[in-house]
């Protein structure tokens, strides 16, 4: 990376961090940290406010591919002690003088930077995104990375095909969840590769992990916005294998007749 690119990313990261800390709430930080069972620092900034900070920081900037990745990398990483704030919750594990844990809102901002700049990204960045997914360990970060970033990227770039195939059989359930949720946005809009999603979902249908069961149902539910019949035809013969949470999500947008048929089959 060119020195000026690194400087641009570092400056923007400082701006984003400062604005996030200014908007933070200690009370909100404590509640969100407990809700997410998080070991990260929390500033206590809402998702809409975090998104507004990122949009403001990127407005008028024409970042290069490398600058986008460097900005995301800097925000994802743990802050230096100089940017820590008394308004964030104290680190409960992994934090000591000079070695702070990462910040949840900074990581959320990193995902938003990537999503808002996805026109500059492609399959060559799959390893970088996968690294973030493996470190995220929470739906609050995994879901936007998989659904709002990998989904659109994989639809336009066939280079993601082998990546998703590998993710679908990964030992990490967050990576398997990502393979499922990568189909969410295209299928919601009436496009996408339902055959591939259904193949992935079929192999995971009897898993006990809640986040896998929920993801399957979620994608089926959103697919049925445009194509209820294809969802009905897929879930009906598998109803006896699917979990309750998968079924509840899958049938939400089906007709009453279809819904009853699925529930009876279960």
């Amino acid at each position: 990376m060119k020195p000026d690119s690194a400087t641009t990313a570092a400056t923007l990261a400082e701006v984003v961090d400062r604005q996030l800390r200014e908007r933070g709430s200690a009370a909100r930080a404590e509640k969100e940290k407990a809700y997410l069972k998080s070991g990260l620092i929390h500033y206590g900034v809402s998702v809409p406010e975090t998104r507004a900070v990122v949009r403001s920081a990127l407005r008028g900037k024409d970042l290069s591919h490398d600058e986008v990745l460097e900005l995301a990398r800097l925000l994802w990483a743990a802050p230096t002690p100089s940017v820590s704030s008394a308004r964030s919750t104290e680190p409960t594990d992994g934090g000591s003088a000079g070695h702070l844990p990462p910040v949840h809102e900074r990581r959320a901002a990193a995902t938003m930077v990537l999503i808002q700049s996805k026109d500059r990204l492609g399959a060559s960045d799959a390893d970088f995104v996968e690294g973030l997914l493996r470190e995220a360990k929470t739906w609050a970060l995994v879901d936007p990375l998989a659904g709002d970033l990998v989904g659109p990227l994989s639809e336009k770039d066939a280079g993601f095909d082998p990546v998703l195939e590998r993710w679908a059989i990964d030992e990490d359930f967050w990576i398997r969840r990502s393979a499922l949720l990568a189909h969410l946005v295209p299928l919601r809009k009436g496009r996408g590769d339902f055959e591939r999603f259904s193949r992935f979902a079929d192999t995971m249908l009897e898993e006990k992990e809640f986040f896998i069961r929920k993801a399957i149902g979620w994608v089926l539910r959103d697919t049925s916005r445009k194509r209820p019949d294809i969802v009905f035809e897929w879930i009906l013969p598998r109803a006896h294998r699917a979990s309750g949470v998968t079924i509840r999500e899958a049938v939400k947008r089906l007709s009453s007749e279809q819904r009853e048929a699925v529930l009876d089959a279960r």
Side-chain angles (χ1 to χ4, degrees), residues 94 127 158 183 191 231 248 254:
D127 287 347
H183 297 81
R191 305 188 306 269
V231 171
R248 284 193 296 274
L254 300 184

Side-chain angles (χ1 to χ4, degrees), residues 134-206:
R134 290 191 184 280
E135 293 180 7
K137 304 298 183 184
T138 173
W139 59 266
L141 297 172
V142 167
D143 291 5
L145 282 170
D148 298 321
L149 179 63
V150 177
L153 289 180
S154 62
E155 188 177 24
K156 73 176 185 178
D157 191 335
F160 265 99
D161 291 351
V163 175
L164 295 181
E165 294 289 342
R166 178 169 54 79
W167 286 4
I169 57 174
D170 197 273
E171 293 183 357
D172 186 337
F173 74 81
W174 290 115
I175 300 298
R176 297 198 303 280
R177 178 177 170 93
S178 297
L180 295 168
L181 293 185
H183 297 81
L184 181 66
V185 172
L187 290 175
R188 176 191 294 156
K189 294 181 178 181
R191 305 188 306 269
D193 190 341
F194 186 78
E195 185 282 327
R196 182 174 62 192
F197 163 75
S198 65
R199 179 163 47 81
F200 289 176
D202 196 45
T203 64
M204 301 185 213
L205 197 58
E206 294 168 285

Side-chain angles (χ1 to χ4, degrees), residues 204-223:
M204 301 185 213
L205 197 58
E206 294 168 285
E207 285 198 26
K208 303 301 182 184
E209 174 55 55
F210 169 81
F211 287 104
I212 295 297
R213 293 176 167 187
K214 183 76 171 182
I216 295 172
W218 184 10
V219 177
L220 290 171
R221 181 195 69 194
D222 278 25
T223 301

